[in-house]
Amino acid sequence: MSRILIVEDETAIAELEKDYLELSGFDVTIENTGDKGLKAALSEDFDLIVLDLMLPMIDGYEICRKVREKKDIPIIMVSAKKEDIDKIRGLGIGADDYMTKPFSPSELVARVKAHLARYERLVGSSIKANEIIEIRGIKIDKTARRVFVNGEEKAFTTKEFDLLTFLAENPNHVFTKEELFNKIWDMESFSQNDIATVTVHIKKIREKVELNTSKPQYIETIWGVGYRFKV
Ligand code: CA
């Protein structure tokens, strides 16, 4: 749920904005002085700020400038005076949008949604999340090729990592040792030695991920067939 901070000293306006934003599914916090608003904006994780210009203690202009030094979340500045809006727009303090009071609450909601969507697209395109597989206590970071068991990182060789990842990506699917060898070692033919390689690797993986290797919770042996990652 997106968190919105409203910094507004006129209680009736703040409450009206809050009601409309909450009806649209946002989590809303109101601060009614500039100092409290600035403190909240810098210390908490808000997704967007609706910022009044004329405020007690610290004005919206100063808050916007200070928040911009630290955060790039959308800021919508509001003011009762159109001249003030025109003036601060010209100063380029980094607000994303400006609205002159009175405005309709549904207009505010529409702009909040548009700015959040735009911001999420920007963030989403610049930071690509790592590809992570999480099954109970095991976390496999495919991008960084790291494995964590109950929060503790374990060292895996390349083939151990590939084998564990392949099994975890195909949960509850039973693979024969031949199939696993073909898949991970990428070879067509195999000997009894190669089959033993799979067994050895499974044993090594279990030593790292299982609490009790004789009663595996993750990689199960299906007797006479092969292995499967149990979910
Ligand atoms: Ca005001």
Side-chain angles (χ1 to χ4, degrees):
M1 191 194 289
S2 294
R3 294 189 66 206
I4 314 281
L5 172 65
I6 297 172
V7 190
E8 170 64 70
D9 57 327
E10 285 168 80
T11 314
I13 293 178
E15 290 294 338
L16 184 66
E17 292 173 357
K18 183 174 194 263
D19 287 348
Y20 270 76
L21 289 166
E22 281 180 347
L23 277 174
S24 297
F26 296 110
D27 180 15
V28 182
T29 301
I30 297 174
E31 294 295 353
N32 47 29
T33 61
D35 53 337
K36 282 194 250 168
L38 178 61
K39 186 164 174 276
L42 292 178
S43 62
E44 293 179 49
D45 272 331
F46 290 102
D47 299 292
L48 182 146
I49 304 173
V50 180
L51 182 58
D52 186 28
L53 182 62
M54 299 306 282
L55 291 163
M57 313 299 283
I58 303 173
D59 67 20
Y61 173 82
E62 191 65 16
I63 294 173
C64 186
R65 213 177 51 77
K66 289 224 164 80
V67 172
R68 263 298 161 264
E69 287 172 7
K70 308 262 185 228
K71 300 187 178 197
D72 60 353
I73 55 169
I75 298 175
I76 300 178
M77 292 220 64
V78 302
S79 175
K81 289 189 188 159
K82 190 170 180 307
E83 313 86 80
D84 288 345
I85 291 283
D86 292 340
K87 202 160 74 190
I88 55 168
R89 196 194 291 269
L91 291 171
I93 53 166
D96 296 85
D97 206 350
Y98 303 89
M99 295 177 81
T100 308
K101 289 191 276 192
F103 46 77
S104 80
S106 46
E107 170 71 15
L108 175 68
V109 170
R111 293 209 196 179
V112 164
K113 284 182 178 169
H115 284 288
L116 284 174
R118 188 179 144 270
Y119 183 67
E120 273 158 27
R121 274 200 306 278
L122 280 177
V123 172
S125 60
S126 58
I127 310 158
K128 209 163 181 305
N130 282 12
E131 203 182 332
I132 307 252
I133 305 168
E134 252 186 307
I135 300 173
R136 283 174 280 139
I138 296 185
K139 183 169 137 188
I140 304 168
D141 185 333
K142 282 188 69 183
T143 315
R145 294 186 66 91
R146 298 169 78 181
V147 179
F148 299 84
V149 181
N150 296 320
E152 191 189 330
E153 184 164 11
K154 304 277 179 173
F156 277 69
T157 65
T158 306
K159 293 300 180 199
E160 287 166 9
F161 181 88
D162 291 344
L163 186 53
L164 173 67
T165 304
F166 177 72
L167 287 167
E169 280 183 323
N170 298 279
N172 293 330
H173 185 122
V174 181
F175 293 97
T176 65
K177 292 175 186 177
E178 289 85 349
E179 282 171 329
L180 291 173
F181 185 80
N182 277 343
K183 198 78 206 165
I184 305 304
W185 279 264
D186 205 20
M187 283 179 229
E188 281 299 310
S189 61
F190 45 84
S191 63
Q192 281 309 307
N193 263 354
D194 297 329
I195 299 304
T197 301
V198 175
T199 314
V200 169
H201 277 75
I202 292 284
K203 184 170 174 286
K204 290 254 172 68
I205 294 170
R206 278 178 175 156
E207 284 165 5
K208 292 168 194 181
V209 304
E210 300 288 357
L211 205 58
N212 178 353
T213 50
S214 59
K215 280 187 189 162
Q217 298 298 304
Y218 299 107
I219 300 174
E220 280 188 313
T221 301
I222 309 300
W223 292 108
V225 188
Y227 302 102
R228 75 165 171 194
F229 196 105
K230 187 170 71 174
V231 170

Short mmCIF file of all heavy atoms in Angstrom, two decimals, residues 173-202:
data_model
loop_
_atom_site.label_atom_id
_atom_site.label_comp_id
_atom_site.label_asym_id
_atom_site.label_seq_id
_atom_site.Cartn_x
_atom_site.Cartn_y
_atom_site.Cartn_z
N HIS A 173 9.10 -32.23 -8.84
CA HIS A 173 9.32 -32.98 -10.08
C HIS A 173 10.47 -33.95 -9.82
O HIS A 173 11.53 -33.55 -9.37
CB HIS A 173 9.67 -31.99 -11.19
CG HIS A 173 9.80 -32.60 -12.55
ND1 HIS A 173 9.05 -32.19 -13.61
CD2 HIS A 173 10.60 -33.61 -13.00
CE1 HIS A 173 9.38 -32.93 -14.68
NE2 HIS A 173 10.31 -33.78 -14.33
N VAL A 174 10.24 -35.24 -10.08
CA VAL A 174 11.30 -36.22 -9.84
C VAL A 174 12.19 -36.32 -11.08
O VAL A 174 11.70 -36.52 -12.19
CB VAL A 174 10.71 -37.61 -9.52
CG1 VAL A 174 11.84 -38.61 -9.24
CG2 VAL A 174 9.76 -37.52 -8.33
N PHE A 175 13.50 -36.16 -10.86
CA PHE A 175 14.46 -36.30 -11.96
C PHE A 175 15.36 -37.49 -11.69
O PHE A 175 15.77 -37.72 -10.55
CB PHE A 175 15.34 -35.04 -12.07
CG PHE A 175 14.59 -33.81 -12.49
CD1 PHE A 175 14.13 -32.90 -11.53
CD2 PHE A 175 14.31 -33.56 -13.83
CE1 PHE A 175 13.43 -31.76 -11.91
CE2 PHE A 175 13.60 -32.42 -14.21
CZ PHE A 175 13.16 -31.53 -13.24
N THR A 176 15.67 -38.26 -12.74
CA THR A 176 16.64 -39.34 -12.59
C THR A 176 18.04 -38.72 -12.55
O THR A 176 18.24 -37.57 -12.96
CB THR A 176 16.58 -40.33 -13.78
OG1 THR A 176 16.99 -39.62 -14.97
CG2 THR A 176 15.17 -40.87 -13.98
N LYS A 177 18.99 -39.50 -12.05
CA LYS A 177 20.37 -39.00 -12.01
C LYS A 177 20.88 -38.72 -13.42
O LYS A 177 21.62 -37.76 -13.63
CB LYS A 177 21.26 -40.03 -11.32
CG LYS A 177 20.94 -40.16 -9.83
CD LYS A 177 21.75 -41.27 -9.18
CE LYS A 177 21.29 -41.46 -7.74
NZ LYS A 177 22.00 -42.57 -7.08
N GLU A 178 20.45 -39.54 -14.37
CA GLU A 178 20.86 -39.33 -15.77
C GLU A 178 20.34 -37.98 -16.27
O GLU A 178 21.07 -37.21 -16.90
CB GLU A 178 20.33 -40.46 -16.68
CG GLU A 178 21.01 -41.80 -16.47
CD GLU A 178 20.40 -42.62 -15.33
OE1 GLU A 178 19.58 -42.07 -14.55
OE2 GLU A 178 20.75 -43.80 -15.22
N GLU A 179 19.08 -37.71 -15.98
CA GLU A 179 18.50 -36.43 -16.42
C GLU A 179 19.24 -35.25 -15.80
O GLU A 179 19.53 -34.25 -16.47
CB GLU A 179 17.01 -36.35 -16.02
CG GLU A 179 16.10 -37.15 -16.91
CD GLU A 179 14.67 -37.22 -16.36
OE1 GLU A 179 14.47 -37.19 -15.13
OE2 GLU A 179 13.75 -37.32 -17.19
N LEU A 180 19.54 -35.38 -14.51
CA LEU A 180 20.24 -34.28 -13.83
C LEU A 180 21.64 -34.11 -14.41
O LEU A 180 22.10 -32.97 -14.62
CB LEU A 180 20.31 -34.54 -12.33
CG LEU A 180 18.95 -34.46 -11.61
CD1 LEU A 180 19.09 -34.89 -10.15
CD2 LEU A 180 18.37 -33.05 -11.67
N PHE A 181 22.29 -35.22 -14.68
CA PHE A 181 23.64 -35.12 -15.25
C PHE A 181 23.60 -34.42 -16.60
O PHE A 181 24.37 -33.51 -16.88
CB PHE A 181 24.29 -36.50 -15.36
CG PHE A 181 25.72 -36.40 -15.82
CD1 PHE A 181 26.72 -36.07 -14.92
CD2 PHE A 181 26.06 -36.60 -17.15
CE1 PHE A 181 28.04 -35.93 -15.34
CE2 PHE A 181 27.37 -36.46 -17.58
CZ PHE A 181 28.37 -36.13 -16.67
N ASN A 182 22.67 -34.85 -17.44
CA ASN A 182 22.52 -34.23 -18.77
C ASN A 182 22.27 -32.74 -18.66
O ASN A 182 22.81 -31.94 -19.41
CB ASN A 182 21.32 -34.84 -19.51
CG ASN A 182 21.70 -36.13 -20.19
OD1 ASN A 182 22.88 -36.40 -20.38
ND2 ASN A 182 20.72 -36.94 -20.54
N LYS A 183 21.41 -32.38 -17.72
CA LYS A 183 20.97 -30.99 -17.58
C LYS A 183 22.11 -30.10 -17.07
O LYS A 183 22.38 -29.03 -17.62
CB LYS A 183 19.80 -30.96 -16.58
CG LYS A 183 18.99 -29.73 -16.64
CD LYS A 183 18.05 -29.75 -17.82
CE LYS A 183 17.72 -28.32 -18.21
NZ LYS A 183 17.12 -28.24 -19.55
N ILE A 184 22.77 -30.56 -16.02
CA ILE A 184 23.74 -29.70 -15.34
C ILE A 184 25.13 -29.78 -15.97
O ILE A 184 25.83 -28.77 -16.10
CB ILE A 184 23.83 -30.05 -13.83
CG1 ILE A 184 22.43 -29.99 -13.19
CG2 ILE A 184 24.80 -29.13 -13.10
CD1 ILE A 184 21.70 -28.67 -13.36
N TRP A 185 25.52 -30.98 -16.38
CA TRP A 185 26.87 -31.11 -16.95
C TRP A 185 26.83 -30.98 -18.47
O TRP A 185 27.86 -30.98 -19.11
CB TRP A 185 27.50 -32.42 -16.50
CG TRP A 185 28.09 -32.30 -15.11
CD1 TRP A 185 29.39 -32.04 -14.82
CD2 TRP A 185 27.42 -32.42 -13.86
NE1 TRP A 185 29.57 -31.99 -13.46
CE2 TRP A 185 28.37 -32.21 -12.84
CE3 TRP A 185 26.09 -32.68 -13.48
CZ2 TRP A 185 28.05 -32.26 -11.48
CZ3 TRP A 185 25.78 -32.72 -12.13
CH2 TRP A 185 26.75 -32.51 -11.15
N ASP A 186 25.61 -30.91 -19.00
CA ASP A 186 25.43 -30.60 -20.40
C ASP A 186 26.17 -31.57 -21.32
O ASP A 186 26.87 -31.16 -22.24
CB ASP A 186 25.92 -29.15 -20.65
CG ASP A 186 25.24 -28.55 -21.87
OD1 ASP A 186 24.18 -29.08 -22.26
OD2 ASP A 186 25.78 -27.58 -22.42
N MET A 187 26.05 -32.85 -21.00
CA MET A 187 26.67 -33.85 -21.86
C MET A 187 25.65 -34.89 -22.27
O MET A 187 24.74 -35.21 -21.52
CB MET A 187 27.82 -34.54 -21.12
CG MET A 187 29.06 -33.68 -21.05
SD MET A 187 30.33 -34.55 -20.14
CE MET A 187 30.85 -33.30 -19.01
N GLU A 188 25.83 -35.43 -23.45
CA GLU A 188 24.87 -36.39 -23.98
C GLU A 188 25.06 -37.77 -23.35
O GLU A 188 24.12 -38.39 -22.89
CB GLU A 188 25.02 -36.49 -25.50
CG GLU A 188 24.36 -35.35 -26.24
CD GLU A 188 22.85 -35.28 -26.00
OE1 GLU A 188 22.18 -36.31 -26.14
OE2 GLU A 188 22.35 -34.18 -25.67
N SER A 189 26.28 -38.23 -23.36
CA SER A 189 26.52 -39.58 -22.85
C SER A 189 27.09 -39.51 -21.44
O SER A 189 27.65 -38.50 -21.03
CB SER A 189 27.50 -40.32 -23.76
OG SER A 189 28.71 -39.60 -23.78
N PHE A 190 26.90 -40.60 -20.71
CA PHE A 190 27.43 -40.61 -19.35
C PHE A 190 27.80 -42.03 -18.95
O PHE A 190 27.28 -42.99 -19.50
CB PHE A 190 26.40 -40.04 -18.38
CG PHE A 190 25.02 -40.55 -18.61
CD1 PHE A 190 24.61 -41.76 -18.06
CD2 PHE A 190 24.12 -39.84 -19.40
CE1 PHE A 190 23.34 -42.24 -18.28
CE2 PHE A 190 22.85 -40.33 -19.63
CZ PHE A 190 22.45 -41.52 -19.08
N SER A 191 28.69 -42.11 -18.00
CA SER A 191 29.13 -43.41 -17.51
C SER A 191 28.63 -43.57 -16.07
O SER A 191 28.03 -42.66 -15.52
CB SER A 191 30.65 -43.47 -17.54
OG SER A 191 31.14 -42.49 -16.64
N GLN A 192 28.93 -44.69 -15.49
CA GLN A 192 28.56 -44.90 -14.09
C GLN A 192 29.27 -43.86 -13.20
O GLN A 192 28.72 -43.42 -12.20
CB GLN A 192 28.90 -46.31 -13.64
CG GLN A 192 27.88 -47.35 -14.09
CD GLN A 192 26.43 -46.96 -13.75
OE1 GLN A 192 26.11 -46.65 -12.61
NE2 GLN A 192 25.56 -46.92 -14.75
N ASN A 193 30.47 -43.45 -13.61
CA ASN A 193 31.20 -42.41 -12.87
C ASN A 193 30.42 -41.11 -12.83
O ASN A 193 30.39 -40.42 -11.82
CB ASN A 193 32.54 -42.14 -13.57
CG ASN A 193 33.66 -42.91 -12.92
OD1 ASN A 193 33.45 -43.56 -11.89
ND2 ASN A 193 34.84 -42.86 -13.52
N ASP A 194 29.81 -40.78 -13.97
CA ASP A 194 29.06 -39.53 -14.05
C ASP A 194 27.84 -39.57 -13.14
O ASP A 194 27.49 -38.57 -12.51
CB ASP A 194 28.62 -39.26 -15.50
CG ASP A 194 29.83 -39.09 -16.41
OD1 ASP A 194 30.86 -38.61 -15.92
OD2 ASP A 194 29.72 -39.44 -17.59
N ILE A 195 27.21 -40.72 -13.10
CA ILE A 195 26.05 -40.89 -12.22
C ILE A 195 26.49 -40.68 -10.76
O ILE A 195 25.80 -40.03 -9.98
CB ILE A 195 25.44 -42.30 -12.40
CG1 ILE A 195 24.96 -42.49 -13.84
CG2 ILE A 195 24.29 -42.54 -11.42
CD1 ILE A 195 23.97 -41.45 -14.32
N ALA A 196 27.67 -41.22 -10.45
CA ALA A 196 28.19 -41.06 -9.09
C ALA A 196 28.46 -39.60 -8.78
O ALA A 196 28.28 -39.14 -7.65
CB ALA A 196 29.47 -41.89 -8.92
N THR A 197 28.86 -38.83 -9.81
CA THR A 197 29.09 -37.39 -9.64
C THR A 197 27.83 -36.70 -9.13
O THR A 197 27.88 -35.86 -8.25
CB THR A 197 29.52 -36.76 -10.98
OG1 THR A 197 30.69 -37.42 -11.43
CG2 THR A 197 29.77 -35.27 -10.85
N VAL A 198 26.69 -37.07 -9.71
CA VAL A 198 25.41 -36.47 -9.29
C VAL A 198 25.17 -36.80 -7.82
O VAL A 198 24.85 -35.90 -7.02
CB VAL A 198 24.24 -37.00 -10.16
CG1 VAL A 198 22.91 -36.46 -9.64
CG2 VAL A 198 24.43 -36.58 -11.62
N THR A 199 25.37 -38.06 -7.45
CA THR A 199 25.15 -38.48 -6.06
C THR A 199 26.04 -37.68 -5.10
O THR A 199 25.58 -37.22 -4.06
CB THR A 199 25.47 -40.00 -5.91
OG1 THR A 199 24.85 -40.68 -7.00
CG2 THR A 199 24.93 -40.54 -4.60
N VAL A 200 27.29 -37.51 -5.49
CA VAL A 200 28.23 -36.78 -4.64
C VAL A 200 27.79 -35.32 -4.48
O VAL A 200 27.81 -34.77 -3.39
CB VAL A 200 29.67 -36.85 -5.23
CG1 VAL A 200 30.60 -35.87 -4.52
CG2 VAL A 200 30.22 -38.26 -5.14
N HIS A 201 27.36 -34.72 -5.57
CA HIS A 201 26.92 -33.32 -5.51
C HIS A 201 25.66 -33.16 -4.64
O HIS A 201 25.54 -32.20 -3.90
CB HIS A 201 26.69 -32.76 -6.91
CG HIS A 201 27.96 -32.27 -7.56
ND1 HIS A 201 28.89 -33.14 -8.06
CD2 HIS A 201 28.44 -31.03 -7.74
CE1 HIS A 201 29.91 -32.43 -8.55
NE2 HIS A 201 29.66 -31.14 -8.36
N ILE A 202 24.74 -34.11 -4.78
CA ILE A 202 23.52 -34.04 -3.96
C ILE A 202 23.91 -34.13 -2.48
O ILE A 202 23.40 -33.38 -1.64
CB ILE A 202 22.55 -35.20 -4.33
CG1 ILE A 202 21.98 -35.00 -5.74
CG2 ILE A 202 21.43 -35.34 -3.28
CD1 ILE A 202 20.90 -33.94 -5.87
#
